Amino acid sequence: MLVNFDEHGRIVDLYYPYVGMENQTSGIPVRVALWDGKNVFFDEAWKAEVSYEDGTNLVEVRWTLDNVGLEISSYNFVDVSEPIMYSILKVLSKNGTQGKFKLFFVHDLNIYSNPFGDTAFLDPSTWSMVHYKSKRYVGIKLMSIDMNPMEFSATKGNPLDDVKDGYLDGSSISHGDVKSAVGVELNLGSKSFVKAYYVIGASRNLEDLRKVMGGVNPATIESNFVSAFQYWRSWLSKGSWTSDHESWLYNVSLITVKNHMDVNGSIIASSDFSFVNLYGDSYQYFWPRDGAIAAHALDIAGYGELAMRHFNFVKDISTPEGYLYHKYNPNRTLASSWHPWLYNGKRILPIQEDETALEVWAIGSHFKRYKDLDELTEIYRRFVKPAIQFMMRFTEDGLPKPSFDLWEERYGVHIYTVSAVFGGLMMGAELARGMGDESLAEDAKDVANTMKEQALARLSDGKRFLRRLDETLSRLSKIEILS
């Protein structure tokens, strides 16, 4: 499970069961509202600050409601081992404000990332609101420290209208393009605070969801908060920096990579779903180039076990010929692409060869650092060796054959691709030698050295490198150079 928050501190993306695939909200934010007994106040009018709690993988949201005299802080975290997210909400009286308030959460979930055929119902077994379709179940629960009963509503209408009077209508089921709301009463004393607890869990069937949601209560949530905080403090303890700012930046960078990595080893480019509404597609895909660089960064940072998880993902998606396609979905299937299979009337491979090369380079670099041959044996057999053989075979006049460039715009022979293939062959040769493949290692190095000679001769004007040759391996009439 991956949860994203927007600038208002609201849940905006909820990915399950893959990081970056099946956004169960379709980018529609979970709305938050507060009722003071007379008026309702919606989240967009609140002042919001969103940050990582102490540089760990817990999100702190601080809302200020000046016109009500309240401050609401929420501490949000996903369970370390289960697909469940907890929010601990602390409602603080700032100016002597007191009385009975109600807190509401309003959901417009789209199970499987589409709104058709959903059902929302109140499950009396766990007293949670459940949205489901086929093999996707999402449970929602809201509690107060006083254990006041959760109010609820399931509807095809607009639940935001329902909360305006401070009372939900109690409709217990609806189907189609459904929405839901949950609310709880909070008894706030003057210059005091009161706590509420909001939970979202997910599963593939109702029985398992009930197991996830059934044991949820304020005491377990508080305990899980402490455990999650300590876990992430421990997980991030490998780095050592001279300033708090450097430490924070480093930790948040690690968290960003980790949060975009699925348990199966996929590393997506971005989980920001807002691109879908702009372009009809997104960056929720695994590009082998990006994944190789991210995995290498994890290796350098000391998280070699995560890099290995990624390399095992790569071995499962590689073609029998040894190359990798443009990009993939987190569930190991081919993703959308704009690379043609037929170009200028000629059949081509719709690939960027540097992506294959960089994964080999990253795996070879991992071997050089960790020397874990046993862990790499199957990865070598199924991906690295075929990829080395492909890169050696996919050449013409000593240079790689044309493919698309790293910016996915041009077709030809690119200096970046040549450099990546050279690096892939050289680092792949080191792993091949470690595996006892002496002949392949020598052949790979010979091809790499020839490639270097050809690049210096044909992709340089003697002072600077040329960006590329066209698909006929000719220099362009308009010289493209790199300083």
Side-chain angles (χ1 to χ4, degrees):
M1 176 183 282
L2 174 64
V3 181
N4 289 341
F5 291 80
D6 67 8
E7 68 274 18
H8 297 289
R10 308 172 300 187
I11 295 169
V12 67
D13 299 317
L14 175 67
Y15 292 99
Y16 171 83
Y18 298 97
V19 170
M21 190 173 182
E22 294 185 31
N23 185 358
Q24 308 299 347
T25 68
S26 290
I28 301 171
V30 174
R31 300 297 305 274
V32 189
L34 184 90
W35 188 65
D36 67 355
K38 295 180 181 179
N39 302 297
V40 66
F41 303 89
F42 291 106
D43 45 37
E44 290 180 344
W46 306 351
K47 295 178 183 176
E49 298 177 24
V50 187
S51 62
Y52 283 109
E53 172 68 13
D54 199 24
T56 64
N57 200 20
L58 289 80
V59 172
E60 179 184 3
V61 178
R62 190 178 300 275
W63 288 305
T64 303
L65 290 71
D66 288 328
N67 49 353
V68 191
L70 297 179
E71 182 178 278
I72 304 174
S73 298
S74 72
Y75 304 90
N76 310 273
F77 60 101
V78 172
D79 191 273
V80 173
S81 57
E82 297 287 344
I84 184 168
M85 191 215 75
Y86 302 104
S87 293
I88 302 175
L89 298 111
K90 184 178 179 181
V91 183
L92 174 67
S93 169
K94 293 182 65 179
N95 304 316
T97 302
Q98 60 181 322
K100 293 185 177 181
F101 297 84
K102 283 189 179 179
L103 187 65
F104 297 97
F105 286 81
V106 178
H107 319 91
D108 184 4
L109 301 187
N110 291 329
I111 307 300
Y112 284 103
S113 299
N114 75 74
F116 308 109
D118 289 0
T119 298
F121 74 97
L122 191 283
D123 177 28
S125 297
T126 58
W127 205 254
S128 57
M129 181 61 65
V130 175
H131 288 244
Y132 79 91
K133 178 164 58 193
S134 187
K135 295 182 179 181
R136 303 290 181 263
Y137 286 74
V138 178
I140 300 159
K141 198 167 186 175
L142 181 61
M143 299 165 286
S144 73
I145 196 68
D146 299 323
M147 297 306 292
N148 294 326
M150 183 184 79
E151 299 179 23
F152 57 88
S153 174
T155 178
K156 289 183 182 179
N158 186 358
L160 294 176
D161 294 333
D162 194 17
V163 306
K164 288 180 179 179
D165 63 358
Y167 298 91
L168 298 178
D169 66 14
S171 54
S172 63
I173 191 167
S174 186
H175 72 98
D177 184 3
V178 296
K179 304 168 185 66
S180 72
V182 295
V184 69
E185 186 176 271
L186 304 174
N187 303 311
L188 181 63
S190 174
K191 297 182 179 179
S192 182
F193 69 89
V194 64
K195 281 187 175 181
Y197 302 87
Y198 175 73
V199 181
I200 299 180
S203 189
R204 287 176 167 84
N205 58 69
L206 181 58
E207 291 73 21
D208 288 344
L209 181 66
R210 283 173 168 167
K211 292 176 184 176
V212 170
M213 302 297 291
V216 170
N217 59 61
T220 60
I221 296 172
E222 293 280 1
S223 176
N224 288 342
F225 172 81
V226 174
S227 298
F229 182 79
Q230 294 296 339
Y231 172 86
W232 286 109
R233 286 291 295 271
S234 178
W235 190 85
L236 292 163
S237 64
K238 295 181 179 182
S240 177
W241 297 91
T242 57
S243 74
D244 290 341
H245 176 69
E246 287 176 338
S247 178
W248 183 90
L249 186 62
Y250 179 72
N251 288 348
V252 170
S253 298
L254 275 174
I255 289 168
T256 301
V257 176
K258 180 71 164 65
N259 286 347
H260 283 75
M261 184 175 190
D262 195 88
V263 292
N264 67 13
S266 163
I267 305 175
I268 62 170
S270 173
S271 59
D272 185 350
F273 195 82
S274 63
F275 290 100
V276 174
N277 299 321
L278 293 172
Y279 307 116
D281 210 337
S282 69
Y283 287 88
Q284 301 156 211
Y285 302 114
F286 161 65
W287 273 265
R289 175 192 309 107
D290 301 13
I293 294 170
H296 183 61
L298 290 171
D299 262 339
I300 294 172
Y303 297 86
E305 70 282 0
L306 291 181
M308 281 296 302
R309 189 182 300 177
H310 171 73
F311 301 145
N312 275 295
F313 176 85
V314 171
K315 87 171 188 311
D316 291 339
I317 61 173
S318 172
T319 63
E321 294 84 357
Y323 60 84
L324 297 168
Y325 283 111
H326 178 195
K327 55 190 172 86
Y328 295 81
N329 295 307
N331 67 351
R332 299 185 176 90
T333 57
L334 274 182
S336 61
S337 179
W338 48 90
H339 292 336
W341 298 67
L342 192 69
Y343 184 81
N344 288 339
K346 180 182 178 182
R347 182 178 177 177
I348 65 169
L349 289 179
I351 66 170
Q352 302 158 45
E353 193 187 0
D354 69 283
E355 295 199 286
T356 300
L358 283 174
E359 286 288 0
V360 174
W361 168 83
I363 295 169
S365 300
H366 175 92
F367 167 70
K368 187 176 181 180
R369 183 176 297 271
Y370 293 98
K371 302 297 183 183
D372 46 353
L373 276 177
D374 287 341
E375 299 294 327
L376 288 167
T377 299
E378 193 66 10
I379 295 170
Y380 176 77
R381 185 183 69 84
R382 290 177 53 185
F383 170 63
V384 175
K385 184 173 182 177
I388 291 173
Q389 292 169 333
F390 168 76
M391 289 187 288
M392 292 167 56
R393 188 171 62 247
F394 195 67
T395 58
E396 186 174 346
D397 296 335
L399 289 173
K401 288 183 179 179
S403 67
F404 291 94
D405 69 333
L406 79 161
W407 297 119
E408 307 170 326
E409 298 170 333
R410 303 172 180 87
Y411 185 70
V413 179
H414 313 277
I415 189 63
Y416 180 84
T417 302
V418 176
S419 302
V421 173
F422 174 83
L425 287 171
M426 295 296 284
M427 291 305 298
E430 294 298 318
L431 179 54
R433 179 170 286 108
M435 290 289 177
D437 258 342
E438 289 285 349
S439 177
L440 180 62
E442 288 302 316
D443 289 346
K445 285 194 171 184
D446 287 345
V447 172
N449 287 324
T450 299
M451 200 170 287
K452 178 179 178 180
E453 292 171 3
Q454 289 297 312
L456 290 171
R458 300 166 64 187
L459 278 159
S460 168
D461 65 358
K463 296 179 180 179
R464 292 172 290 188
F465 285 111
L466 309 181
R467 175 188 283 181
R468 68 185 179 113
L469 306 176
D470 66 18
E471 61 269 24
T472 67
L473 304 189
S474 301
R475 292 192 178 191
L476 305 175
S477 56
K478 179 182 179 182
I479 298 296
E480 298 183 7
I481 58 176
L482 296 175
S483 297

